Amino acid sequence: MKFDTPAATNPIDQLKVVGKATDRIDGPLKTTGTAPYAYERHDVVANQAYGFIVGSAIAKGRISRMDVAAAKAAPGVIAVVTAENAGTLGKGKWNTAVLLGGPEIQHYHQAVALVVAETFEQARDAASLIRVDYQAEAGAYDLAAARDGAAVAKGEPDSTVGDFTGAYAAAPVQLDATYTTPDQGHAMMEPHATIAAWNGDKLTLWTANQMINWGVKDVSQTLNIPVENIRLISPYIGGGFGGKLFVRSDALMAALGAKVAGRPVKVALTRPLMFNNTTHRPATIQRIRIGATREGRITAIGHESWSGDLPGGKPETAVQQTRLLYAGANRLTAMRLAVLDLPEGNAMRAPGEAPGLMALEIAMDEMAEKLGMDPIQFRILNDTQEDPEKPGRPYSQRQLAECLRQGAERFGWAKRNPKPASMREGRWLVGMGVAAGFRNNLVTKSAARVRLDGQGMVTVETDMTDIGTGTYTIIAQTAAETMGVPLDKVAVRLGDSSFPVSCGSGGQWGANNSTAGVYAACMKLRQAVARKLGFNAAEPQFADGHVSSGGHTMPLAQAAKDGELVAEDLIEYGDLDKKYQQSTFAGHFVEVVVDSATGEIRLRRMLAVCAAGRILNPKSARSQVIGAMTMGAGAALMEELAVDKRRGFFVNHDLAGYEVPVHADIPHQEVVFLDEVDPISSPMKAKGVGELGICGVGAAVANAVYNAIGVRVRDYPITLDKVLDHLPEMT
Amino acid sequence: MKPFTYERATSPADAAAKAASIPGARFIAGGTNLLDLMKLQIETPAHLIDVNGLGLDKIEETPDGGLRIGALVRNTDLAADIRVRRHYGVLSRALVAGASGQLRNVATTAGNLLQRTRCPYFYDPNQPCNKRQPGSGCSAIGGISRQLGVVGTSEACIATHPSDMAVAMRVLDAMVETVRPGGATRAIPIADLHRLPGDTPHVETTLEQGELITAVTLPKPVGGVQLYHKVRDRASYAFALVSVAAIVQPGGTNGIAWGRVALGGVAPKPWRVEAAEAHMKQGAKAVTAGLLADARPTADNRFKIKLAERTLAAVLTEARG
């Protein structure tokens, strides 16, 4: 199905199932511990052996000598895989560093060996017997030090509109401030894990991966085997946040281990290995300049960002939202990329916007204060209904102002005293902060297959993944709505490369595109059903498990009485995303309290008002947003991969050292979705919310801290040591 | 994990004797720290002696009106004990400020005292660490040290002792009862249990090889307002940046008749300097100046000095009522 004109009224608009708050259909499996995750698939293939990965002890250099004899001789050991016996390996398109290092080492904890043994404990014990001698080389690990040598990244030219320099210089009110965000880890619950089994030259990987088709291609490219010989199966994923977009060393090493051992091998990354062995959100340094008239109209806006990555890597696109979010005739956005020898930087929930808004939305707060304006009023004054870099290119929907207005009303913004450090309750200083949330809606093709059987059961098959987001449920709702059956007449099968290729889970594009693909396949199945039942009229009705046309009604199941009906289709898009800017919007509101003695910052209330097209399942959408708000709170207050700049690694590489919020940190959270449908986005008229929820939260917290104590912290995370010197004197 | 053998001890003296005679033996109780360290091969015991079944899990009143806490009393049970809550409030408060509910259900009194540092370099076997591998050097000095010690540290080690419970016990003048491998018992003031690192940071206590902690005794209640204030980056399940255990008797000049204070999160052991407590009436600044007079912070953790002073000031304000 080609989607190249705005959606008209269609079966989804019935909203009998879609749009209803629905418990996730995979919920019982999750709550009873019976949803099979990759490492637990003991049943899928017999004789599984255990693999344990050895990570490099240095960040950069070479292995000069490696002695695996003691490991090979250890009890229970079946095989040891290193670069020496792994054969010639390629590198996946989506990997920057190779997944198996040696002799060259590109980053700390890069895999250098896999030990395969009868038990996990034997493999781990033997792994400690591998002796590796390294020749360490000096590396670059400090972004601030590497900043001056940073260059324009390939495919990421500067973007200019008008005369930024002149307009900024002429602006009566100016802000020029620099912000930093640290490296952050995904820290999802389920570690990267894979079971690999070879059958002749055919490889099956039961794994945890957000993007099945990317994965197949990258395994093919790395192992130099045809894609037809590879099957990826990933029906349940215990969190990803972008950390499982790509094939990682668990999958490659399991495949290599299984080949050398001659039997299936399972590998999970240990928690201490995850932070340096895989990918992370790169640190940024961001300079923002805003010039405005005394009335508060932005005349010049500039945003420059510096980040680092391994050679061949990409920049963190922290300036993206600044190209689109606010009006202003003169604009400059630029990114510079430094070479760093830290582990690979890559996507983490809302790459670009999440750290970009952490900076931009503090800058907006600072600018509002300089202007003596309310920060909401300042944002609304500079709202735009068109792409500010391409005047005349409208937004498909843009309700940012409404998000901010409604949020202010609900949150009690009027009670905020704009004078910092003026609200106090006992030993607590109280502050309120606001920020805009913004994340683009990306459209990309997505396919599905739908089967109807003689019992009237509809089964959907697509290689789409559910990383804990609720995809199973919204796909079932879509199929139920389109085929006119109740939810319990739909079965959903996901995450298998033998199914049609979907959009996968990432960039908050999963919900809209994958359901649109299912809708397309269902519409094709409806045609097949109509033909089979002999309904020649243009549009038979599908409702309540029946099909009606011209006064005749027949059970849907009747169409499959002679055998299953199968339809497959995909959604693909024309140029509506070129003609219209498609984005999602939020107003984030936060109230914090700061201990006037210790500087401890605690959240008290959070509110997100979101405008993100049709909300397919308000229940799972809310879960996505509150989870993202929690992650945003972590980014604001505690999350930081601490870089040892001498040795080139993230020191706090476990969940004791890398702090993420716990229940006690997260207070009352409220989420409101504005009533919106976006016929430009897809037949579903939906957009994503999973990343919108984090975008802007960090700055809302920072702005609330400023309001509470009058200290402007521009370096995340906002920890007590950064405010301690500025707190009131103790008596 | 290295292969190891395992047995259940039959008595405290039996446990101590076996631990002294079997090379590489370690006691195991709750295992909340030891098992983690074994998985990382930082601890590689050849033999585990399980002391869970030795009847050391009771809390009893002592003849002089104090409390004798068995070494195997779980943190949850100790925190909830009505006598502890009534007379040793600082201990109950410190316990519930530590770890998580699940960990406190398993972690024991003696195990809590003997837990090892959470210095991230200690936890990474690729990195030099004098505590883990004597003589290899300290990576934390000059590295990431925001969480680490400011006082009592050495050129060889700046790790902290992570316990909350022990800080409260220090301010309560607890005694640690042990049985030695020969069967003799002794009582060690808690102040003398943990050693400062000096140039041997791997030697963390004054216990002999095989010596088993059987109980911790608390003297008879001293009254006062008993507070424990733990400061950390997140609201729960984090180690202290600084903690203050205090017993304060309100009254007299400046609202304070007398007071005791110990700090956590700043030193290789619960940090108390009795002489500093003489300045209690002068307030937090004077006390902290005495407590941290010999502090040698890093650039990363210099803030702990001011934080300790301000936290103590808040505690004193609260204690005055």
Side-chain angles (χ1 to χ4, degrees), chain A residues 127-481:
Chain A
S128 73
L129 302 175
I130 293 180
R131 168 124 190 237
V132 189
D133 295 333
Y134 297 95
Q135 276 180 297
E137 292 168 21
Y141 309 118
D142 183 351
L143 176 61
R147 173 179 171 168
D148 289 345
V152 178
K154 197 176 139 200
E156 301 283 0
D158 298 355
S159 177
T160 57
V161 177
D163 170 20
F164 169 78
T165 309
Y168 178 74
V173 184
Q174 298 172 330
L175 173 82
D176 181 350
T178 297
Y179 308 84
T180 64
T181 62
D183 297 285
Q184 297 173 343
H186 307 86
M188 58 284 194
M189 287 288 282
E190 182 203 25
H192 302 80
T194 300
I195 297 172
W198 291 89
N199 183 1
D201 56 2
K202 294 203 185 310
L203 172 66
T204 303
L205 299 171
W206 292 268
T207 189
N209 192 295
Q210 298 174 225
M211 301 293 298
I212 299 300
N213 191 247
W214 292 5
V216 168
K217 288 178 181 164
D218 266 8
V219 170
S220 159
Q221 219 163 301
T222 308
L223 291 172
N224 304 305
I225 57 174
V227 291
E228 308 81 66
N229 290 1
I230 300 163
R231 187 164 170 207
L232 251 65
I233 301 174
S234 187
Y236 296 98
I237 298 162
F241 308 127
K244 292 174 183 160
L245 286 168
F246 320 115
V247 171
R248 298 301 315 173
S249 62
D250 57 304
L252 174 66
M253 298 309 283
L256 293 172
K259 186 126 217 170
V260 175
R263 58 190 267 198
V265 168
K266 57 159 59 177
V267 176
L269 297 189
T270 60
R271 186 65 64 178
L273 207 57
M274 285 174 67
F275 294 85
N276 286 282
N277 177 271
T278 71
T279 60
H280 67 279
R281 189 201 298 282
T284 64
I285 300 170
Q286 301 179 48
R287 181 187 187 196
I288 296 177
R289 282 174 286 173
I290 304 174
T293 64
R294 295 206 187 283
E295 296 71 40
R297 289 202 181 275
I298 294 174
T299 53
I301 185 162
H303 192 163
E304 297 152 273
S305 174
W306 291 260
S307 61
D309 202 357
L310 289 164
K314 292 191 279 281
E316 178 69 23
T317 55
V319 305
Q320 288 291 20
Q321 73 288 323
T322 309
R323 293 179 173 155
L324 290 160
L325 189 48
Y326 296 112
N330 303 287
R331 317 177 70 87
L332 163 70
T333 47
M335 287 176 280
R336 295 291 179 270
L337 178 63
V339 171
L340 291 181
D341 299 298
L342 290 170
E344 178 175 336
N346 218 313
M348 179 168 142
R349 201 173 201 169
E353 276 95 335
L357 284 162
M358 286 167 77
L360 177 64
E361 289 297 291
I362 296 183
M364 290 297 285
D365 202 65
E366 295 199 59
M367 194 64 186
E369 189 183 34
K370 277 176 181 270
L371 289 158
M373 287 179 80
D374 179 85
I376 294 174
Q377 191 195 346
F378 177 51
R379 288 179 173 90
I380 291 173
L381 183 66
N382 290 288
D383 193 23
T384 173
Q385 290 295 319
E386 59 182 20
D387 177 347
E389 287 197 345
K390 300 186 182 74
R393 178 173 177 257
Y395 276 89
S396 62
Q397 295 276 351
R398 177 167 163 136
Q399 295 200 72
L400 174 61
E402 186 55 23
C403 290
L404 292 167
R405 280 194 198 100
Q406 271 207 28
E409 180 73 22
R410 285 173 176 271
F411 202 67
W413 185 253
K415 293 193 194 114
R416 169 183 178 265
N417 188 334
K419 185 167 173 283
S422 55
M423 298 191 284
R424 187 164 181 148
E425 292 175 20
R427 74 172 211 259
W428 298 102
L429 294 157
V430 184
M432 290 162 78
V434 67
F438 174 89
R439 177 73 176 158
N440 284 332
N441 180 58
L442 303 172
V443 293
T444 180
K445 64 185 178 184
S446 191
R449 184 160 55 222
V450 194
R451 304 173 182 276
L452 174 69
D453 73 11
Q455 277 70 52
M457 192 75 191
V458 176
T459 300
V460 182
E461 295 172 342
T462 164
D463 84 355
M464 181 59 190
T465 50
D466 187 329
I467 61 174
T469 45
T471 312
Y472 276 102
T473 310
I474 55 173
I475 282 179
Q477 288 173 279
T478 303
E481 192 79 74

Side-chain angles (χ1 to χ4, degrees), chain B residues 152-300:
Chain B
T153 52
S154 72
E155 296 295 323
C157 183
I158 58 170
T160 53
H161 192 270
S163 174
D164 293 297
M165 182 197 79
V167 184
M169 286 181 171
R170 178 72 180 87
V171 88
L172 287 165
D173 285 330
M175 297 289 286
V176 178
E177 294 185 1
T178 70
V179 56
R180 292 159 130 169
T185 61
R186 65 167 171 161
I188 307 168
I190 192 166
D192 299 334
L193 177 68
H194 298 103
R195 290 166 45 112
L196 293 181
D199 53 9
T200 55
H202 59 292
V203 185
E204 294 175 346
T205 69
T206 53
L207 299 176
E208 288 173 26
Q209 172 63 35
E211 188 170 3
L212 176 73
I213 295 176
T214 51
V216 174
T217 55
L218 304 179
K220 69 178 183 194
V222 295
V225 178
Q226 303 199 3
L227 298 173
Y228 189 78
H229 193 135
K230 180 176 182 178
V231 181
R232 43 187 158 177
D233 287 323
R234 66 179 169 193
S236 176
Y237 200 45
F239 296 102
L241 292 166
V242 163
S243 68
V244 170
I247 304 177
V248 176
Q249 185 62 54
T253 326
N254 210 3
I256 295 173
W258 57 266
R260 300 178 188 176
V261 62
L263 301 179
V266 296
K269 59 191 285 187
W271 196 252
R272 183 176 173 198
V273 177
E274 276 83 346
E277 292 164 7
H279 304 296
M280 201 61 85
K281 293 180 188 200
Q282 290 150 259
K285 201 178 201 89
V287 177
T288 313
L291 271 167
L292 299 178
D294 299 324
R296 289 191 307 164
T298 67
D300 278 2

